[in-house]
Amino acid sequence: MTPRGGSGRADAGHLTIRLCVMMLLQFLAFGSWFQTLGLVMATFGMASSIGLAYSSASIGAFVAPLLVGSLADRWFRSERVLAAVHLACAGLMIVLRQSVLAGSEGWTLALVFVYMAFYMPTMGITNSIIFRHMGEGDRRFPYVRVFGTIGFVVAGVVVGQSGLSASPGVFLVSAAVSAAMVVYSLTLPPTPPAGKGGKFSFADLVGAKAFVLFRQANFRVFATCVLLAGVPLALYTAYASAYIDALGVKNVATVLAIGPVSEIVFVVTIPWLLRTVGMRWALLVGLASWAVRLPLLALAAGTGTTPLIIAIAMHGVCNDFLLVLGAMYVSSLCPPEISAQGQSLFTMLYSGLGALIGSVFGNVVFNSAVAPRLASDGAGAWVPLWTIGACTAGVAAVLWVAGYRRRSGGTTARTVEPAGTAATATTVSEA
């Protein structure tokens, strides 16, 4: 706990700044290349593999997070794991650039997969570092997390203004930022593995101790809802730019930039939202927002750009009230011994398995219901895709309300006891 007085406040402020810079670099490295990967591939004759690239990215996000999270929980200091993984990411970006220049689709897809298998675990590790040093349930987390969004916005501006949007140079930008992250990670406050010294098990080897969270009925409902929410997330990520172009919008990148900017606005409202309605209803806002957003996209096909702008501006609600609140919710359930694994499990469910299901599902719907009607119906051909995605989000919202069980008293202490560890209780508001 931070000591009272001027020195304590100064130390806490210094720590917060350091964690903010960590999040800025973390998302700057990813946003530098992932936002324009499809454009780069199309420029170098790989347009037919763009969908496969994003699918392989989802698979990569699914396979590794728990294992790397286990390294941070059980064996190595988190900041050192973060540095090692970003060193690998920097090298992969350099090799990926060469693969694209050579026009090798197979190697490009493989490298995207491997990169995501390395990078996505760092999302959970950075969250874990923040919660370990600021305290689980600390409502300052959104103010630190917003610097990740700022990093994503800065990446888009730098790449766009430098004329690199369609160039393999974006991979070198990402490599440079990852190299900077390697050095910076080693200056972060030491975050030793909380589970070190405990009894070793196979679950430690594969990072599966976070599965103990599934013992809780509310977490099982949460995990199911997150998987369902991954479907509209994947549909929007993969097809929004093409749909906006079909609507006749000239500067697609500029219009899409409204989304990340709205994230910056909405993320700082999270502490107020939690105080006002509690975690249960705040998460419902995030789930239900997708059920509103996608119909607005469909409505734009017949009424013009106003519903489109509103839908894009909802990006902050859709992402912040699921990604940020979800991380806080998982942190409130996890003892320190499985902190990194718990955050990695959340990343795997939403950005990995959920997004993968959505990508595969979206590809089937697009090829069977959208593509055959594009020539005759134009933007109207996209309505089935957005409608089905909205229905999936609606099911998630209803399931969350119906399946979530509030315990008596409004504020409860939830106990999770992984094998070989002492029970640890964390108090959260469930109102």
Side-chain angles (χ1 to χ4, degrees):
M1 206 173 164
T2 303
R4 294 188 177 184
S7 176
R9 286 194 296 269
D11 290 344
H14 181 61
L15 171 64
T16 301
I17 292 172
R18 294 171 72 184
L19 295 176
C20 288
V21 174
M22 175 188 73
M23 295 304 289
L24 181 73
L25 293 174
Q26 169 75 12
F27 281 81
L28 187 59
F30 184 59
S32 298
W33 72 279
F34 196 72
Q35 297 183 82
T36 59
L37 172 64
L39 181 57
V40 173
M41 292 180 66
T43 303
F44 284 80
M46 304 183 204
S48 61
S49 297
I50 292 174
L52 290 175
Y54 282 99
S55 294
S56 69
S58 298
I59 296 172
F62 170 66
V63 298
L66 289 177
L67 173 59
V68 178
S70 175
L71 296 178
D73 279 336
R74 189 70 169 76
W75 287 291
F76 304 103
R77 282 165 40 176
S78 294
E79 76 278 6
R80 292 179 177 175
V81 175
L82 190 63
V85 174
H86 269 283
L87 181 61
C89 288
L92 286 165
M93 284 288 99
I94 294 172
V95 178
L96 181 57
R97 174 181 177 270
Q98 297 301 319
S99 175
V100 171
L101 287 172
S104 175
E105 294 188 29
W107 276 108
T108 296
L109 294 174
L111 287 166
V112 169
F113 164 78
V114 175
Y115 177 93
M116 294 297 283
F118 274 93
Y119 176 83
M120 290 309 294
T122 66
M123 303 284 279
I125 292 174
T126 51
N127 284 349
S128 177
I129 288 174
I130 294 171
F131 287 121
R132 285 282 300 277
H133 289 282
M134 298 184 73
E136 286 81 3
D138 194 305
R139 294 189 178 183
R140 291 175 295 171
F141 175 72
Y143 300 114
V144 176
R145 174 57 177 78
V146 72
F147 279 83
T149 302
I150 293 172
F152 212 77
V153 173
V154 170
V157 171
V158 170
V159 168
Q161 294 301 312
S162 301
L164 297 175
S165 297
S167 167
V170 295
F171 304 123
L172 293 182
V173 175
S174 177
V177 177
S178 284
M181 185 65 167
V182 172
V183 177
Y184 187 77
S185 296
L186 297 176
T187 71
L188 291 170
T191 310
K196 189 174 183 179
K199 184 179 179 181
F200 177 78
S201 67
F202 179 74
D204 289 304
L205 184 63
V206 299
K209 278 195 170 179
F211 289 155
V212 71
L213 293 172
F214 285 102
R215 294 177 183 174
Q216 301 182 63
N218 280 345
F219 184 81
R220 293 195 296 271
V221 175
F222 172 76
T224 304
C225 292
V226 163
L227 285 176
L228 290 171
V231 173
L233 167 71
L235 296 181
Y236 183 84
T237 301
Y239 297 106
S241 58
Y243 176 66
I244 295 171
D245 181 70
L247 288 171
V249 176
K250 298 300 180 185
N251 196 332
V252 175
T254 300
V255 173
L256 283 173
I258 297 172
V261 172
S262 76
E263 282 195 68
I264 298 173
V265 174
F266 281 103
V267 74
V268 297
T269 69
I270 287 177
W272 169 82
L273 186 68
L274 288 174
R275 288 194 304 269
T276 304
V277 301
M279 181 64 79
R280 178 191 184 187
W281 299 108
L283 278 169
L284 175 63
V285 173
L287 291 167
S289 62
W290 281 105
V292 176
R293 188 186 200 189
L294 296 191
L296 284 172
L297 288 176
L299 186 62
T303 62
T305 59
T306 299
L308 172 69
I309 299 302
I310 296 173
I312 295 173
M314 289 183 66
H315 195 71
V317 181
C318 295
N319 270 22
D320 294 337
F321 294 170
L322 271 180
L323 283 175
V324 180
L325 280 171
M328 296 175 72
Y329 180 67
V330 171
S331 175
S332 74
L333 302 178
C334 286
E337 292 83 2
I338 59 169
S339 176
Q341 290 179 68
Q343 293 297 325
S344 296
L345 175 60
F346 173 56
T347 300
M348 184 189 76
L349 289 171
Y350 188 51
S351 301
L353 183 57
L356 175 61
I357 293 171
S359 295
V360 174
F361 176 74
N363 186 63
V364 172
V365 174
F366 179 82
N367 289 330
S368 61
V370 179
R373 298 171 49 205
L374 281 174
S376 59
D377 296 354
W382 294 82
V383 171
L385 185 76
W386 305 131
T387 301
I388 295 174
C391 291
T392 306
V395 170
V398 171
L399 178 62
W400 177 247
V401 174
Y404 188 95
R405 291 292 176 265
R406 178 185 174 186
R407 299 185 183 182
S408 61
T411 300
T412 65
R414 305 190 181 173
T415 303
V416 178
E417 186 176 358
T421 66
T424 304
T426 305
T427 301
V428 294
S429 171
E430 295 187 275

